[in-house]
Amino acid sequence: AQSVTQLDSQVPVFEEAPVELRCNYSSSVSVYLFWYVQYPNQGLQLLLKYLSGSTLVKGINGFEAEFNKSQTSFHLRKPSVHISDTAEYFCAVIGTGNNDMRFGAGTRLTVKP
Amino acid sequence: EAGVTQFPSHSVIEKGQTVTLRCDPISGHDNLYWYRRVMGKEIKFLLHFVKESKQDESGMPNNRFLAERTGGTYSTLKVQPAELEDSGVYFCASSAWRTSTDTQYFGPGTRLTVL
């Protein structure tokens, strides 16, 4: 089985500052990794996903994440955040051959002016 | 193209009552998933339909939960009788292909409160 740990439940940051949201996973098989974002009163929206190939994945809204197999991490980064990035972010993993997506507990990013 | 829709957006019921949640996936998506998030915790998988068949229901918490997808279109999730611990946000998602790599598109969720 797979599991995901999001190390920070809340991350406050000032506008235009860089941000990193941390995600570590555990799995006995190869995995696919995802980051979703949930804006208030909306559904989860896919930011980016790592399937294979380049370990640096670029997503929407200027976000990127790097897959690090040795550290079993998939941290999400953005060099300069905007007020509109305020949302909850979820890291998720699927083990190869499964369809059962496992999520972390979420990180609430608050961008302050 | 319409996204995944869920109804109702909120439901408040008393312990022992019955509630039915509905999910309409993206048209043409054969795969439909139900998830639940209990307050502040991780989103947990409940079950997966491929068309009208239950592919995986390993996440269903107990037999008070019944999911159906007659005709392979919309799905319902019934909780009967509801208990306090059933409170949370229930998400539905759909995907076109039956592969792990296919993007799952999520609905806005139904917030269920059991008093």
Side-chain angles (χ1 to χ4, degrees):
Chain A
Q2 296 74 46
S3 66
V4 177
T5 301
Q6 290 185 244
L7 298 162
D8 306 296
S9 59
Q10 297 190 57
V11 173
V13 64
F14 286 105
E15 193 173 20
E16 297 184 6
V19 70
E20 178 180 81
L21 306 184
R22 296 180 292 168
C23 172
N24 285 86
Y25 69 92
S26 172
S27 177
S28 57
V29 300
S30 297
V31 296
Y32 306 117
L33 293 154
F34 306 78
W35 275 98
Y36 280 85
V37 59
Q38 185 181 23
Y39 299 104
N41 300 316
Q42 295 185 30
L44 279 73
Q45 178 182 1
L46 183 68
L47 270 180
L48 48 81
K49 59 183 178 182
Y50 170 78
L51 304 180
S52 65
S54 173
T55 58
L56 183 62
V57 181
K58 294 191 182 297
I60 62 172
N61 300 341
F63 283 93
E64 63 181 31
E66 186 156 19
F67 170 57
N68 188 320
K69 188 175 181 180
S70 62
Q71 296 189 9
T72 61
S73 68
F74 191 55
H75 301 331
L76 181 71
R77 301 185 184 99
K78 186 170 182 176
S80 175
V81 293
H82 303 289
I83 298 287
S84 59
D85 292 322
T86 294
E88 192 158 19
Y89 293 78
F90 295 92
C91 182
V93 63
I94 294 179
T96 53
N98 297 330
N99 286 95
D100 175 2
M101 185 176 284
R102 302 293 178 99
F103 285 85
T107 297
R108 190 172 296 277
L109 174 66
T110 302
V111 182
K112 299 180 284 186
Chain B
E1 178 184 275
V4 177
T5 58
Q6 293 186 246
F7 182 83
S9 57
H10 294 82
S11 180
V12 180
I13 61 172
E14 293 190 351
K15 176 182 171 180
Q17 290 186 321
T18 297
V19 64
T20 300
L21 314 181
R22 173 172 169 142
C23 168
D24 286 77
I26 293 172
S27 178
H29 280 193
D30 286 342
N31 295 274
L32 187 148
Y33 307 83
W34 282 99
Y35 295 87
R36 176 174 74 172
R37 187 185 191 199
V38 174
M39 185 182 298
K41 298 192 175 180
E42 69 271 23
I43 299 169
K44 285 197 171 180
F45 168 83
L46 295 179
L47 86 160
H48 170 209
F49 283 100
V50 177
K51 297 184 180 180
E52 66 275 9
S53 300
K54 292 177 185 174
Q55 176 69 20
D56 181 354
E57 52 183 331
S58 61
M60 294 287 265
N62 52 60
N63 59 10
R64 295 186 293 102
F65 289 75
L66 175 64
E68 295 180 321
R69 194 182 181 196
T70 307
T73 54
Y74 72 90
S75 174
T76 58
L77 180 64
K78 180 191 286 189
V79 184
Q80 179 182 29
E83 298 290 344
L84 299 179
E85 64 264 25
D86 300 332
S87 294
V89 180
Y90 290 76
F91 292 101
C92 174
S94 71
S95 67
W97 306 109
R98 189 179 164 179
T99 63
S100 305
T101 59
D102 193 34
T103 298
Q104 295 185 24
Y105 295 88
F106 282 76
T110 293
R111 183 175 296 277
L112 175 65
T113 302
V114 183
L115 302 175

